[in-house]
Amino acid sequence: MAKLTDDSINDVFTPHLQEGETLKHWAFGVKQPSMLIIVPLMALAILPGVIATQMLTKSYLIAMTEKRFLVLQIKSMGNAEIKEMIEYDLTGFAGNPAKTKTGSLFTHITIEDEAKPFKAKFHRAFSKSNRANALAMAEALSTA
Amino acid sequence: MICPFCEAKTAGNPCEGCGRDTTARRRACPKCHKMSPFGEATCCHCGHEFRNEMRWKIPAIIVMFVAATAAAVAVELFIR
């Protein structure tokens, strides 16, 4: 499994960009199942619990362009095959549906949109630029 | 702009060709790898029927835990 790099992430997003759009920031993140599911599964059996948690974890690539915020759900960190895509027009962020939170390890981004909800966390250790990019997007979303 | 579903040029939203919301949540068809609206049950390009991943993941997880429990019981009964 080859790890995603800046170039490969550019290649993943390029077919989904509109004319004249360029990627400003990108980040890789995950959405794990609730702790209310993880803890009982781990308590039942450790190895099946770990496997089940991994099976229920979703991997995301997010990116921001001049006009849009793009979310791609991909198969895994090593396989950037797209499963699902959500796009948000940055001009349509009235009412501020985006909630962001930053800790020492993770940057959390949540978009409370009825038709297109999104929630994921972005670890700083994924790449050198992951935290800076996630923070820049979180900042842009919360002030959009 | 290009409609992500019918791939025709359109001036705005919804698409002038297919009438779909060009910003709608969408998913890739596992068969033809083209994008279809998330709200449609079949692929708008090849007609492939989308199935929820949980249909196989939940039974697989249950089987895994049953197997782990059976293995633990077997170890307790026959090996110790």
Side-chain angles (χ1 to χ4, degrees):
Chain A
M1 284 203 306
K3 196 182 171 188
L4 291 164
T5 61
D6 286 351
D7 288 338
S8 63
I9 286 174
N10 245 317
D11 294 344
V12 174
F13 278 105
T14 301
H16 305 285
L17 298 181
Q18 292 171 359
E19 276 179 6
E21 253 187 332
T22 50
L23 283 185
K24 284 166 71 183
H25 307 288
W26 65 263
F28 172 84
V30 294
K31 184 189 176 195
Q32 288 183 315
S34 162
M35 278 296 164
L36 294 173
I37 295 173
I38 294 178
V39 171
L41 289 180
M42 295 285 186
L44 271 172
I46 302 254
L47 184 60
V50 170
I51 296 169
T53 303
Q54 202 57 43
M55 284 171 76
L56 298 173
T57 298
K58 294 175 179 175
S59 303
Y60 290 103
L61 280 176
I62 61 168
M64 187 167 271
T65 70
E66 298 85 355
K67 291 187 267 183
R68 297 182 299 159
F69 176 60
L70 304 172
V71 176
L72 298 180
Q73 188 192 338
I74 57 172
K75 280 205 166 170
S76 69
M77 196 196 303
N79 181 358
E81 192 181 323
I82 298 169
K83 292 168 82 176
E84 197 185 313
M85 179 178 173
I86 310 174
E87 67 171 82
Y88 302 91
D89 196 334
L90 291 178
T91 55
F93 260 58
N96 205 359
K99 287 191 170 50
T100 62
K101 198 172 73 179
T102 306
S104 54
L105 290 176
F106 290 101
T107 302
H108 298 256
I109 297 179
T110 305
I111 297 176
E112 290 169 350
D113 184 308
E114 269 183 33
K116 299 183 279 188
F118 170 69
K119 185 178 184 180
K121 59 182 184 180
F122 301 85
H123 200 288
R124 66 186 308 157
F126 174 73
S127 73
K128 280 181 184 173
S129 60
N130 210 46
R131 184 172 180 84
N133 278 326
L135 281 173
M137 283 186 276
E139 173 75 23
L141 286 173
S142 53
T143 56
Chain B
M1 67 181 281
I2 305 288
C3 172
F5 306 118
C6 70
E7 294 166 2
K9 267 204 164 183
T10 176
N13 190 18
C15 171
E16 292 159 347
C18 64
R20 293 184 173 94
D21 177 2
T22 56
T23 64
R25 185 179 174 190
R26 46 197 181 259
R27 56 183 159 190
C29 171
K31 200 173 164 194
C32 69
H33 303 288
K34 291 183 177 173
M35 288 289 174
S36 278
F38 196 84
E40 293 182 15
T42 56
C43 173
C44 61
H45 301 280
C46 69
H48 176 77
E49 192 181 336
F50 290 112
R51 291 191 174 170
N52 192 330
E53 273 192 339
M54 291 302 159
R55 269 178 69 159
W56 69 266
K57 280 187 176 178
I58 299 291
I61 289 168
I62 292 169
V63 166
M64 207 162 51
F65 277 96
V66 169
T69 309
V73 170
V75 166
E76 197 63 38
L77 286 178
F78 302 114
I79 297 176
R80 284 194 188 171

PDB file of all heavy atoms in Angstrom, chain B residues 29-41:
ATOM      1  N   CYS B  29     -19.808   4.557  -8.766  1.00  0.00           N
ATOM      2  CA  CYS B  29     -20.359   3.226  -9.061  1.00  0.00           C
ATOM      3  C   CYS B  29     -19.207   2.221  -9.025  1.00  0.00           C
ATOM      4  O   CYS B  29     -18.182   2.431  -9.681  1.00  0.00           O
ATOM      5  CB  CYS B  29     -21.009   3.249 -10.442  1.00  0.00           C
ATOM      6  SG  CYS B  29     -21.484   1.617 -11.019  1.00  0.00           S
ATOM      7  N   PRO B  30     -19.360   1.111  -8.281  1.00  0.00           N
ATOM      8  CA  PRO B  30     -18.269   0.128  -8.238  1.00  0.00           C
ATOM      9  C   PRO B  30     -18.058  -0.583  -9.574  1.00  0.00           C
ATOM     10  O   PRO B  30     -17.011  -1.172  -9.808  1.00  0.00           O
ATOM     11  CB  PRO B  30     -18.714  -0.854  -7.146  1.00  0.00           C
ATOM     12  CG  PRO B  30     -20.153  -0.607  -6.929  1.00  0.00           C
ATOM     13  CD  PRO B  30     -20.486   0.757  -7.425  1.00  0.00           C
ATOM     14  N   LYS B  31     -19.066  -0.503 -10.470  1.00  0.00           N
ATOM     15  CA  LYS B  31     -18.965  -1.199 -11.755  1.00  0.00           C
ATOM     16  C   LYS B  31     -18.333  -0.302 -12.835  1.00  0.00           C
ATOM     17  O   LYS B  31     -17.341  -0.665 -13.442  1.00  0.00           O
ATOM     18  CB  LYS B  31     -20.361  -1.651 -12.187  1.00  0.00           C
ATOM     19  CG  LYS B  31     -20.377  -2.750 -13.212  1.00  0.00           C
ATOM     20  CD  LYS B  31     -21.795  -3.220 -13.432  1.00  0.00           C
ATOM     21  CE  LYS B  31     -21.906  -4.031 -14.717  1.00  0.00           C
ATOM     22  NZ  LYS B  31     -23.298  -4.211 -15.103  1.00  0.00           N
ATOM     23  N   CYS B  32     -18.919   0.889 -13.061  1.00  0.00           N
ATOM     24  CA  CYS B  32     -18.400   1.741 -14.148  1.00  0.00           C
ATOM     25  C   CYS B  32     -17.525   2.889 -13.622  1.00  0.00           C
ATOM     26  O   CYS B  32     -16.936   3.623 -14.423  1.00  0.00           O
ATOM     27  CB  CYS B  32     -19.548   2.301 -14.978  1.00  0.00           C
ATOM     28  SG  CYS B  32     -20.581   3.508 -14.117  1.00  0.00           S
ATOM     29  N   HIS B  33     -17.449   3.046 -12.292  1.00  0.00           N
ATOM     30  CA  HIS B  33     -16.605   4.061 -11.634  1.00  0.00           C
ATOM     31  C   HIS B  33     -17.014   5.507 -11.935  1.00  0.00           C
ATOM     32  O   HIS B  33     -16.244   6.415 -11.689  1.00  0.00           O
ATOM     33  CB  HIS B  33     -15.121   3.847 -11.980  1.00  0.00           C
ATOM     34  CG  HIS B  33     -14.633   2.484 -11.601  1.00  0.00           C
ATOM     35  ND1 HIS B  33     -14.421   2.105 -10.298  1.00  0.00           N
ATOM     36  CD2 HIS B  33     -14.370   1.405 -12.356  1.00  0.00           C
ATOM     37  CE1 HIS B  33     -14.034   0.849 -10.277  1.00  0.00           C
ATOM     38  NE2 HIS B  33     -13.995   0.395 -11.508  1.00  0.00           N
ATOM     39  N   LYS B  34     -18.225   5.718 -12.462  1.00  0.00           N
ATOM     40  CA  LYS B  34     -18.702   7.082 -12.691  1.00  0.00           C
ATOM     41  C   LYS B  34     -19.562   7.511 -11.505  1.00  0.00           C
ATOM     42  O   LYS B  34     -20.012   6.683 -10.725  1.00  0.00           O
ATOM     43  CB  LYS B  34     -19.503   7.139 -13.992  1.00  0.00           C
ATOM     44  CG  LYS B  34     -18.620   6.949 -15.228  1.00  0.00           C
ATOM     45  CD  LYS B  34     -19.429   7.079 -16.491  1.00  0.00           C
ATOM     46  CE  LYS B  34     -18.525   6.967 -17.722  1.00  0.00           C
ATOM     47  NZ  LYS B  34     -19.292   6.919 -18.964  1.00  0.00           N
ATOM     48  N   MET B  35     -19.769   8.828 -11.396  1.00  0.00           N
ATOM     49  CA  MET B  35     -20.508   9.364 -10.246  1.00  0.00           C
ATOM     50  C   MET B  35     -22.025   9.334 -10.472  1.00  0.00           C
ATOM     51  O   MET B  35     -22.495   9.686 -11.554  1.00  0.00           O
ATOM     52  CB  MET B  35     -20.076  10.802  -9.975  1.00  0.00           C
ATOM     53  CG  MET B  35     -18.695  10.906  -9.398  1.00  0.00           C
ATOM     54  SD  MET B  35     -18.662  10.318  -7.702  1.00  0.00           S
ATOM     55  CE  MET B  35     -16.918  10.400  -7.372  1.00  0.00           C
ATOM     56  N   SER B  36     -22.742   8.939  -9.431  1.00  0.00           N
ATOM     57  CA  SER B  36     -24.204   8.957  -9.442  1.00  0.00           C
ATOM     58  C   SER B  36     -24.693   9.674  -8.196  1.00  0.00           C
ATOM     59  O   SER B  36     -24.030   9.621  -7.164  1.00  0.00           O
ATOM     60  CB  SER B  36     -24.761   7.523  -9.401  1.00  0.00           C
ATOM     61  OG  SER B  36     -24.763   6.964 -10.667  1.00  0.00           O
ATOM     62  N   PRO B  37     -25.860  10.335  -8.257  1.00  0.00           N
ATOM     63  CA  PRO B  37     -26.378  10.980  -7.049  1.00  0.00           C
ATOM     64  C   PRO B  37     -26.589   9.964  -5.932  1.00  0.00           C
ATOM     65  O   PRO B  37     -27.042   8.840  -6.195  1.00  0.00           O
ATOM     66  CB  PRO B  37     -27.715  11.569  -7.509  1.00  0.00           C
ATOM     67  CG  PRO B  37     -27.600  11.682  -8.981  1.00  0.00           C
ATOM     68  CD  PRO B  37     -26.725  10.554  -9.417  1.00  0.00           C
ATOM     69  N   PHE B  38     -26.265  10.362  -4.710  1.00  0.00           N
ATOM     70  CA  PHE B  38     -26.372   9.457  -3.564  1.00  0.00           C
ATOM     71  C   PHE B  38     -27.819   9.008  -3.350  1.00  0.00           C
ATOM     72  O   PHE B  38     -28.074   7.912  -2.898  1.00  0.00           O
ATOM     73  CB  PHE B  38     -25.847  10.168  -2.313  1.00  0.00           C
ATOM     74  CG  PHE B  38     -25.557   9.249  -1.185  1.00  0.00           C
ATOM     75  CD1 PHE B  38     -24.344   8.586  -1.109  1.00  0.00           C
ATOM     76  CD2 PHE B  38     -26.491   9.032  -0.188  1.00  0.00           C
ATOM     77  CE1 PHE B  38     -24.068   7.725  -0.057  1.00  0.00           C
ATOM     78  CE2 PHE B  38     -26.220   8.171   0.864  1.00  0.00           C
ATOM     79  CZ  PHE B  38     -25.003   7.513   0.923  1.00  0.00           C
ATOM     80  N   GLY B  39     -28.748   9.880  -3.710  1.00  0.00           N
ATOM     81  CA  GLY B  39     -30.163   9.580  -3.467  1.00  0.00           C
ATOM     82  C   GLY B  39     -30.771   8.586  -4.443  1.00  0.00           C
ATOM     83  O   GLY B  39     -31.904   8.156  -4.248  1.00  0.00           O
ATOM     84  N   GLU B  40     -30.054   8.225  -5.501  1.00  0.00           N
ATOM     85  CA  GLU B  40     -30.614   7.291  -6.485  1.00  0.00           C
ATOM     86  C   GLU B  40     -30.144   5.868  -6.183  1.00  0.00           C
ATOM     87  O   GLU B  40     -28.972   5.646  -5.882  1.00  0.00           O
ATOM     88  CB  GLU B  40     -30.204   7.711  -7.903  1.00  0.00           C
ATOM     89  CG  GLU B  40     -30.849   9.040  -8.291  1.00  0.00           C
ATOM     90  CD  GLU B  40     -30.515   9.482  -9.711  1.00  0.00           C
ATOM     91  OE1 GLU B  40     -30.021   8.685 -10.531  1.00  0.00           O
ATOM     92  OE2 GLU B  40     -30.754  10.674  -9.991  1.00  0.00           O
ATOM     93  N   ALA B  41     -31.070   4.923  -6.300  1.00  0.00           N
ATOM     94  CA  ALA B  41     -30.778   3.539  -5.915  1.00  0.00           C
ATOM     95  C   ALA B  41     -29.912   2.810  -6.934  1.00  0.00           C
ATOM     96  O   ALA B  41     -29.268   1.810  -6.600  1.00  0.00           O
ATOM     97  CB  ALA B  41     -32.081   2.782  -5.711  1.00  0.00           C
TER      98      ALA B  41
END
